[in-house]
Amino acid sequence: MGKKSKKEADAAPNTSFTPVTIESKNCSTVVMMLGSEEVEVLMKSTEAISRFAIKSDENKLQLHSLGTIKKLIPLINHEDRHVKRYATMAYAVMVKHPDIRIALRRADPSCITSAIQLLNDDDEICVEFACLFLANMATDFVNKKLICESGGIEPLIVHANTSNDPDVQKNSLDCLSFLVQDAECRNAVKDAGIIPCLMDKITSDFPAIQMVSLKTLAQLLQEEQGRKQFRELEGLARVMPLLTKKYPDLHMVALHVLSNCLVDADAMDEIRNNGGLNQLLNFLNESYPTDEVKLYAAQAIGRAAKNARNTRILHEMNIEQCLVNMLGSHVDNEDILVAICRAIAILSDNLLAKETFGAIDGIPLVVALIPHESSCVQRAACLALASTTLQNLHNSQHAVKANAVDLLISAISHGKDMVVVNGSACLINMSTEVSIRQEILKNGSLMPAIAKRLGSCNPLVQSKMAELLSALVDGADAREQMVQCNVLEPLVALLRSNDGTVRRNVCQALIRCVSDPQVSDVLLRIGLAVENTTDNENTAEPTATTTTTDFLSCRVDLSRTLDLLQDINNSEGRRMNSSVQAFNKLIEANLSAKYCVVGTLASHDVTGCRFYDPGRIHKNAKFLPLELLGKKAVDCERAVLLVNYKSEEEENEDNKTPDLGGEARPSSGEAHESPKHSRKAKTCSTKKKNKEEKLREEQERLQREKEEQERLEQEQKEALLKESVYQPPLDDHLYRYIQQVVKTVEPLPTHQEQVIALGQFVASCMGGEVERERMLEFGWQLHIAQLKVQFKSNIVPIGEIKRGTYFHRALLYKVLADRIGIPCTLVRGSYNLAWNEVMISPSGVTSYPPMKCIVDLMHDPGRLMKTGTSEAQVYQTI
């Protein structure tokens, strides 16, 4: 056998893995592949994720729910260029969603710093999507500050200015545009030199870059420093060419830049000098700009007109005619109408522009917009009309001719709050002319509208309604309308307002109308609620037109007008001159209220019929009208002293005797015709005539019966009204006192003799001289109680009092002194004391100022005591 051969050595094992091609249609599988260490797998998975994320927000949220962000963070710094590129792309696209931005900021606080570092990468695509990432993150204000603090502004500006890739420029400018929306970041971006870069990009070949450059520039031009730098770089010359047909998509942002720039008068001069202003006005009159573009143009004019110098320049360029033309040609676009009306309102601050609007028939066009369906248009139209009619009679007359009065009153009645405010301002401006004011008051729906709007919750509406009321109520007719429409009650209620302007205007309105006795009487009645204790369900609140038939056993609430004015005047923070003047005017119009509240009547305060003194006002009690006091049952309270005598006119009418002769009874010659004439009439009469006469007689008889029936019904109504209204008793004794004083005291030669004689006369009428030591034995209280029982009322006529004390005699002295022209005051003291002060010159000497004296009416009638002396002080105290 031959020798066996050695086995061949075994072949080396093959450890390489056969490549597997995976086609995944599941998002979660691709996300799981992000954890692979193979470059090719990472490249394909990141590419797939970026494409999936860019499709919709739902895809972004789905990827986020699978934890994609956390797996992408380490890949943006991967050593492979393609993996890094696609990871950055997916990273930038996903953070466009706000929820993902919030989650990323929590998961990786250094994400912004990492993105800023990528701006220095050599790969242009990584730089592009790093800029996109920062732009998406910059939409949140929290991230703006982080980008600025991390030094991201300068590299962004560098890429926007030097990069050859338009996408890098666009994304960089987008990020900068978001940054300048914040004030602090705006200053940092401006200091970094962004404006020259933006000026270069305005002329870019790419409209998207031009658009974002103009938007960023518009933000920067909000500040004066930015506008100054813009003018130094001749920015207006670069922006104005964009307002042509060649760049229709840039018109709005270009106008936005101009509107911010034209706030400065220097910019307006520059644009006028280089012909840009003419180009802008022609642009507004052209037909090719869209309505939205023209809206921006009108807004730009309005902003520029806020500068008085710019307004003069615009007026020289006949801007008024341009706006009026736009107003007539854009009646269907609400936004444009609002912008034009606002521009007109701003321009009207210039007197020449205001006159021009009236001269070119712009007022009727504005008036026609008041009844517009849109409340915004109504508000702007009323504002424009208010500005054009302010201190301008001609424009007000043009507005009246265009039926503005009725339209404004309708707007006040049915419009929203700011429409009411602006419409009221129009009426206030127009009411300065008497004829126009009368035309306004002819509309019977104005006062009810004012009464309704006074109850508004908006202080602006309340204030303007009160101001309108004070502008209109300067005549008896207007004040009568106020009372009839119950305007006073809601007006007085506004005295409780916490707004100082509201209270001031309300007080001004009260000052204007309180001089009318009817109005002052209603004001003093406001808040007097009557509640019958026997029937709790029957309550009433007396007003100017309300009569209360049962005041017996009733509880009366407090008068609100005087109370509110006193509260305001007693408060250091709310007290104002108008509130003090309103209070004084109100009590001056009603001397009874003045003496009751203040306790003093001056020498020029002349008492008259129906003056009454209910006594001193105590805490938590207020002045009440005479009708309420007269209807109350007799009680133990202080008697109300009444001054009510028959006037000379009434006395003359009573002395007249009716004339029974003359035309009242026809003569017999008129009643009966002659026989000859009668026979002639019977001969000429016909049956037709007899029939017509009978028909006429029947109609006359029916007319007489109808008139008689109406007369009886009217008499019944008057009788019922007379029964329900309290009628104070006439004071015949006081009337005789006045006649005696006129005959005996008034003819005396000197003023001092008249004062002394009148004091002695008053004392003789009320029980004569009473020694101070015997005052307790005088017994005047019992006498007053007997008079209250006699009159079945708490009201006692002053002339019926025969045993009167200090305050009775002082009141009678004041009443009689006013009748014969002796100037004297009436001062209320404490503990039923009162006295009169007169001005007396020393005997035989004519000197000024005269001496103020108190007249003794109790212990030594007629004695004059100089005020401030010991004897005067004794008389004024117990």
Side-chain angles (χ1 to χ4, degrees):
M1 277 182 69
K3 190 176 180 180
K4 292 182 179 180
S5 61
K6 190 178 181 180
K7 287 184 178 181
E8 297 179 1
D10 294 338
N14 189 358
T15 60
S16 62
F17 183 78
T18 304
V20 177
T21 302
I22 298 177
E23 182 179 349
S24 177
K25 295 184 179 180
N26 195 332
C27 180
S28 60
T29 303
V30 178
V31 174
M32 184 180 62
M33 292 168 61
L34 292 176
S36 174
E37 296 180 357
E38 297 186 34
V39 174
E40 187 175 356
V41 174
L42 292 176
M43 181 181 65
K44 290 183 178 181
S45 59
T46 51
E47 181 184 5
I49 288 174
S50 63
R51 292 178 179 177
F52 180 73
I54 204 170
K55 291 181 180 179
S56 65
D57 288 343
E58 290 78 7
N59 295 350
K60 297 181 181 69
L61 291 175
Q62 184 179 355
L63 290 170
H64 174 60
S65 64
L66 296 173
T68 307
I69 287 293
K70 293 182 179 180
K71 295 182 179 181
L72 285 174
I73 290 175
L75 296 179
I76 61 174
N77 293 317
H78 198 274
E79 58 184 9
D80 185 79
R81 180 167 57 90
H82 295 89
V83 174
K84 183 177 182 180
R85 178 183 298 175
Y86 289 125
T88 306
M89 185 184 302
Y91 198 54
V93 172
M94 288 186 64
V95 295
K96 188 174 182 180
H97 197 282
D99 295 341
I100 300 177
R101 289 197 297 271
I102 296 174
L104 176 60
R105 192 167 60 246
R106 294 174 180 174
D108 184 15
S110 63
C111 60
I112 292 179
T113 304
S114 301
I116 293 174
Q117 292 175 355
L118 283 176
L119 295 178
N120 299 321
D121 197 89
D122 296 333
D123 190 351
E124 195 75 15
I125 296 178
C126 288
V127 174
E128 173 189 344
F129 285 99
C131 293
L132 178 62
F133 173 84
L134 292 174
N136 289 334
M137 293 295 289
T139 55
D140 295 339
F141 280 92
V142 177
N143 297 329
K144 289 181 173 66
K145 185 176 181 181
L146 293 176
I147 293 174
C148 293
E149 293 177 349
S150 301
I153 295 177
E154 292 184 0
L156 285 171
I157 294 177
V158 170
H159 285 296
N161 198 21
T162 62
S163 177
N164 296 324
D165 189 346
D167 291 328
V168 174
Q169 297 179 20
K170 166 73 167 49
N171 293 339
S172 300
L173 291 173
D174 280 336
C175 183
L176 294 170
S177 177
F178 289 125
L179 290 178
V180 297
Q181 293 176 4
D182 181 74
E184 295 181 0
C185 296
R186 185 186 307 135
N187 293 330
V189 172
K190 182 174 56 181
D191 295 340
I194 184 63
I195 293 182
C197 175
L198 295 176
M199 299 298 297
D200 294 336
K201 299 305 174 184
I202 288 176
T203 58
S204 174
D205 295 332
F206 299 95
I209 295 178
Q210 290 179 301
M211 180 72 72
V212 69
S213 300
L214 289 171
K215 288 182 178 179
T216 309
L217 193 60
Q219 291 287 340
L220 294 170
L221 293 182
Q222 292 180 3
E223 299 178 358
E224 184 178 359
Q225 184 178 356
R227 294 192 292 268
K228 181 178 180 182
Q229 189 176 0
F230 178 75
R231 292 196 304 271
E232 292 175 353
L233 296 173
E234 298 181 353
L236 289 172
R238 300 190 183 187
V239 174
M240 291 306 300
L242 300 178
L243 298 178
T244 58
K245 292 183 179 180
K246 185 179 179 180
Y247 307 100
D249 53 337
L250 301 178
H251 287 166
M252 285 189 297
V253 287
L255 287 171
H256 193 186
V257 171
L258 286 177
S259 65
N260 290 341
C261 189
L262 293 181
V263 174
D264 293 337
D266 294 336
M268 179 64 77
D269 288 333
E270 181 180 346
I271 192 175
R272 180 180 62 170
N273 294 334
N274 61 22
L277 190 55
N278 281 328
Q279 181 182 351
L280 178 61
L281 297 182
N282 293 332
F283 176 77
L284 295 178
N285 293 323
E286 295 290 343
S287 58
Y288 65 85
T290 62
D291 289 346
E292 191 173 6
V293 172
K294 292 193 175 184
L295 168 64
Y296 271 76
Q299 292 174 345
I301 293 174
R303 291 199 62 187
K306 292 181 180 180
N307 186 296
R309 183 177 170 187
N310 289 350
T311 304
R312 292 193 296 271
I313 295 174
L314 291 171
H315 170 68
E316 294 173 359
M317 302 302 296
N318 198 20
I319 189 63
E320 299 88 357
Q321 187 64 57
C322 178
L323 290 175
V324 170
N325 293 339
M326 291 180 65
L327 197 62
S329 58
H330 294 85
V331 293
D332 297 329
N333 193 306
E334 297 177 3
D335 295 332
I336 292 181
L337 293 177
V338 170
I340 295 173
C341 289
R342 289 176 178 173
I344 291 175
I346 297 172
L347 285 167
S348 295
D349 290 340
N350 183 279
L351 297 178
L352 295 176
K354 186 185 300 184
E355 291 287 349
T356 304
F357 280 120
I360 61 177
D361 295 333
I363 303 299
L365 293 176
V366 175
V367 172
L369 297 178
I370 295 177
H372 198 276
E373 296 178 356
S374 172
S375 61
C376 294
V377 176
Q378 293 179 6
R379 173 182 175 179
C382 291
L383 177 62
L385 188 61
S387 299
T388 53
T389 56
L390 179 62
Q391 298 179 353
N392 192 296
L393 176 59
H394 295 295
N395 288 352
S396 299
Q397 292 174 342
H398 290 317
V400 172
K401 292 179 181 178
N403 196 30
V405 172
D406 294 338
L407 295 177
L408 288 172
I409 294 176
S410 178
I412 292 174
S413 301
H414 310 291
K416 293 186 177 181
D417 286 353
M418 292 310 301
V419 177
V420 174
V421 171
N422 295 339
S424 302
C426 296
L427 292 179
I428 292 171
N429 296 340
M430 296 162 61
S431 64
T432 55
E433 174 62 26
V434 177
S435 60
I436 299 178
R437 184 164 61 247
Q438 294 175 351
E439 184 71 21
I440 294 173
L441 291 172
K442 287 181 181 179
N443 192 310
S445 59
L446 176 59
M447 285 299 174
I450 293 177
K452 173 185 174 183
R453 292 298 182 176
L454 284 173
S456 172
C457 298
N458 191 334
L460 289 175
V461 176
Q462 298 171 350
S463 175
K464 195 57 70 173
M465 288 298 101
E467 186 179 356
L468 175 60
L469 203 58
S470 61
L472 294 177
V473 289
D474 63 340
D477 295 339
R479 292 191 285 266
E480 184 177 356
Q481 289 186 34
M482 285 179 57
V483 175
Q484 292 176 352
C485 298
N486 195 25
V487 175
L488 293 174
E489 187 166 355
L491 179 68
V492 171
L494 293 181
L495 290 173
R496 300 181 184 272
S497 174
N498 294 325
D499 190 281
T501 305
V502 174
R503 295 196 304 271
R504 182 181 300 105
N505 289 339
V506 170
C507 292
Q508 292 291 346
L510 292 177
I511 292 171
R512 292 294 303 274
C513 63
V514 79
S515 58
D516 191 305
Q518 183 184 9
V519 176
S520 63
D521 182 62
V522 174
L523 288 173
L524 293 173
R525 293 170 180 268
I526 290 176
L528 299 176
V530 179
E531 181 180 354
N532 194 329
T533 58
T534 61
D535 186 1
N536 294 329
E537 296 179 356
N538 296 329
T539 60
E541 183 172 350
T543 62
T545 58
T546 303
T547 59
T548 307
T549 59
D550 188 9
F551 281 81
L552 299 178
S553 302
C554 65
R555 180 178 61 79
V556 185
D557 202 355
L558 305 179
S559 177
R560 194 163 67 224
T561 309
L562 288 175
D563 187 22
L564 293 175
L565 288 173
Q566 279 182 317
D567 290 342
I568 293 174
N569 294 334
N570 292 334
S571 172
E572 295 183 0
R574 299 192 301 162
R575 178 188 177 95
M576 59 188 75
N577 293 335
S578 57
S579 64
V580 175
Q581 190 176 359
F583 179 82
N584 293 335
K585 285 278 188 180
L586 181 57
I587 60 177
E588 290 289 345
N590 192 309
L591 295 182
S592 300
K594 179 178 181 180
Y595 187 52
C596 183
V597 176
V598 181
T600 304
L601 290 182
S603 58
H604 61 268
D605 296 327
V606 179
T607 58
C609 289
R610 294 209 174 199
F611 174 88
Y612 62 99
D613 174 21
R616 180 187 296 276
I617 288 295
H618 300 287
K619 187 177 182 180
N620 297 328
K622 293 296 178 284
F623 175 78
L624 301 177
L626 183 64
E627 290 79 2
L628 296 182
L629 295 172
K631 292 291 185 176
K632 293 179 64 176
V634 178
D635 53 28
C636 60
E637 298 293 331
R638 177 191 185 281
V640 178
L641 305 181
L642 174 66
V643 177
N644 189 37
Y645 55 89
K646 189 178 296 185
S647 63
E648 295 181 1
E649 292 78 4
E650 293 175 345
E651 184 68 20
N652 293 334
E653 290 179 0
D654 293 342
N655 293 333
K656 289 181 180 179
T657 56
D659 187 5
L660 301 178
E663 298 180 357
R665 299 180 60 184
S667 61
S668 60
E670 294 175 343
H672 302 282
E673 297 179 355
S674 62
K676 182 178 180 181
H677 181 74
S678 177
R679 288 193 300 271
K680 184 177 181 181
K682 290 181 180 179
T683 304
C684 299
S685 62
T686 61
K687 293 182 179 181
K688 182 177 180 180
K689 186 174 181 180
N690 291 335
K691 186 176 181 180
E692 291 178 353
E693 289 180 354
K694 290 180 179 180
L695 181 62
R696 185 175 64 255
E697 291 176 356
E698 182 67 18
Q699 291 177 350
E700 292 177 354
R701 184 183 64 80
L702 294 175
Q703 182 66 23
R704 288 194 300 270
E705 291 178 354
K706 182 179 179 180
E707 293 177 354
E708 182 67 17
Q709 183 67 22
E710 292 177 352
R711 186 182 63 80
L712 293 176
E713 292 177 356
Q714 183 66 24
E715 289 179 354
Q716 291 177 358
K717 291 180 181 179
E718 292 178 355
L720 292 175
L721 182 62
K722 187 175 182 180
E723 292 177 0
S724 62
V725 176
Y726 172 74
Q727 296 293 336
L730 288 175
D731 193 344
D732 294 333
H733 291 87
L734 178 60
Y735 180 70
R736 287 195 291 270
Y737 291 163
I738 294 174
Q739 290 180 327
Q740 293 178 26
V741 167
V742 171
K743 293 179 181 178
T744 59
V745 178
E746 188 176 18
L748 295 177
T750 65
H751 175 65
Q752 184 172 353
E753 292 177 356
Q754 291 177 341
V755 170
I756 296 173
L758 183 60
Q760 295 171 350
F761 178 81
V762 169
S764 66
C765 295
M766 290 200 166
E769 178 181 345
V770 182
E771 297 180 4
R772 178 175 290 274
E773 294 78 10
R774 304 180 65 87
M775 280 298 298
L776 296 178
E777 303 175 3
F778 188 49
W780 62 271
Q781 295 93 337
L782 179 61
H783 175 60
I784 298 300
Q786 292 173 346
L787 290 176
K788 290 169 65 175
V789 174
Q790 175 184 343
F791 287 98
K792 299 179 181 181
S793 172
N794 291 320
I795 299 177
V796 177
I798 188 66
E800 297 289 340
I801 299 175
K802 305 305 178 187
R803 299 179 69 84
T805 187
Y806 293 92
F807 68 95
H808 300 124
R809 301 186 183 199
L811 176 58
L812 180 60
Y813 189 92
K814 171 65 175 173
V815 173
L816 296 177
D818 290 340
R819 300 286 77 76
I820 62 176
I822 297 179
C824 78
T825 65
L826 176 61
V827 183
R828 189 194 305 279
S830 302
Y831 303 103
N832 295 322
L833 294 177
W835 57 87
N836 304 100
E837 295 178 348
V838 294
M839 305 301 292
I840 299 294
S841 298
S843 300
V845 179
T846 304
S847 62
Y848 290 95
M851 180 175 58
K852 183 184 293 186
C853 297
I854 295 176
V855 184
D856 188 344
L857 301 175
M858 286 293 300
H859 312 302
D860 185 7
R863 178 170 62 116
L864 299 179
M865 300 167 286
K866 184 178 180 180
T867 56
T869 60
S870 59
E871 58 179 355
Q873 292 178 356
V874 170
Y875 187 82
Q876 293 171 310
T877 56
I878 295 177

